[in-house]
Amino acid sequence: GAGVSQSPSNKVTEKGKDVELRCDPISGHTALYWYRQSLGQGLEFLIYFQGNSAPDKSGLPSDRFSAERTGGSVSTLTIQRTQQEDSAVYLCASSPGRQNYEQYFGPGTRLTVT
Amino acid sequence: GQSLEQPSEVTAVEGAIVQINCTYQTSGFYGLSWYQQHDGGAPTFLSYNALDGLEETGRFSSFLSRSDSYGYLLLQELQMKDSASYFCAVGLSGGYQKVTFGTGTKLQVIP
């Protein structure tokens, strides 16, 4: 079946602009994560959605970052007033349930802020 | 908070065996996972340990010692395609609601 998809694959934006990154998880997966990965670095947890529960936003680096998940499926990560330090690959992952040790990752969105 | 330590780089010869270590400090450990990521690609799940001991999946095995807060990934019969970054990740008690990844080990397999 279809895997996790993300769009756009690449996004170049000017400093100060807002961007929206989209994630389509695997159908039926109730858990959805967003991570950020800078070049040559590990994955930085941003936010976690589980079903209809309130999301865990504890990894969001500032109030310029927000995310929502509509209908328990598609998720959008929004970065307002982008800064150069926001440049990174943003990865989305989904998992079928609460035992989320096996996550399925999308290809990521490479964000470049100029 | 949580922290994980892995070697940044490892080089090994094709056909050999390599072990990638991961030590962690967390409050409320749940389990340890391993992921592989090729350059430019997305991470893919390799293995998971919740209990002490060795889990084997083909050429890859993963080990966990909860008392030592330590685990490792063992890759046998190395192939050139195994050149990639390998990340350990911990989930905290209650599940994997918030996963912390290590900084990754870049494995280079040489002929």
Side-chain angles (χ1 to χ4, degrees):
Chain A
V4 177
S5 62
Q6 292 186 245
S7 60
S9 56
N10 281 284
K11 177 71 175 179
V12 180
T13 190
E14 293 180 353
K15 178 182 173 181
K17 300 287 188 182
D18 297 353
V19 295
E20 286 190 352
L21 313 180
R22 177 187 168 105
C23 172
D24 282 88
I26 293 173
S27 177
H29 280 193
T30 59
L32 187 146
Y33 294 81
W34 283 98
Y35 297 92
R36 179 169 69 175
Q37 186 174 33
S38 300
L39 187 63
Q41 301 299 308
L43 284 73
E44 176 188 4
F45 168 84
L46 297 177
I47 189 169
Y48 164 74
F49 295 89
Q50 174 64 56
N52 295 320
S53 302
D56 178 349
K57 305 179 181 180
S58 59
L60 295 178
S62 77
D63 59 8
R64 296 187 295 105
F65 288 73
S66 63
E68 63 178 19
R69 189 178 184 191
T70 55
S73 181
V74 172
S75 178
T76 302
L77 177 69
T78 301
I79 308 173
Q80 296 178 312
R81 306 181 301 282
T82 53
Q83 304 293 314
Q84 288 187 330
E85 60 263 29
D86 299 334
S87 296
V89 175
Y90 289 81
L91 291 160
C92 173
S94 71
S95 187
R98 290 196 177 274
Q99 302 302 318
N100 296 326
Y101 55 81
E102 182 172 355
Q103 298 181 17
Y104 297 79
F105 282 82
T109 294
R110 182 175 298 277
L111 176 65
T112 303
V113 182
T114 62
Chain B
Q2 294 78 242
S3 68
L4 294 90
E5 290 192 9
Q6 306 178 233
S8 58
E9 295 182 356
V10 173
T11 300
V13 177
E14 188 177 15
I17 298 172
V18 70
Q19 178 174 312
I20 299 174
N21 298 322
C22 174
T23 57
Y24 58 88
Q25 289 186 321
T26 70
S27 52
F29 175 83
Y30 188 83
L32 184 72
S33 301
W34 289 91
Y35 287 80
Q36 177 192 60
Q37 185 180 32
H38 287 98
D39 284 346
T44 56
F45 173 80
L46 290 176
S47 68
Y48 168 71
N49 296 73
L51 303 175
D52 286 359
L54 191 69
E55 294 284 339
E56 299 182 63
T57 308
R59 294 188 299 114
F60 294 180
S61 302
S62 58
F63 172 82
L64 176 65
S65 170
R66 297 173 69 104
S67 60
D68 295 324
S69 298
Y70 163 75
Y72 65 73
L73 180 69
L74 192 73
L75 294 79
Q76 303 182 70
E77 301 172 16
L78 279 173
Q79 302 177 9
M80 299 300 291
K81 67 179 182 180
D82 297 330
S83 293
S85 291
Y86 293 84
F87 296 88
C88 58
V90 295
L92 306 182
S93 58
Y96 269 61
Q97 285 82 350
K98 181 176 179 179
V99 182
T100 300
F101 279 79
T103 53
T105 299
K106 190 170 182 67
L107 171 65
Q108 182 181 12
V109 180
I110 58 176

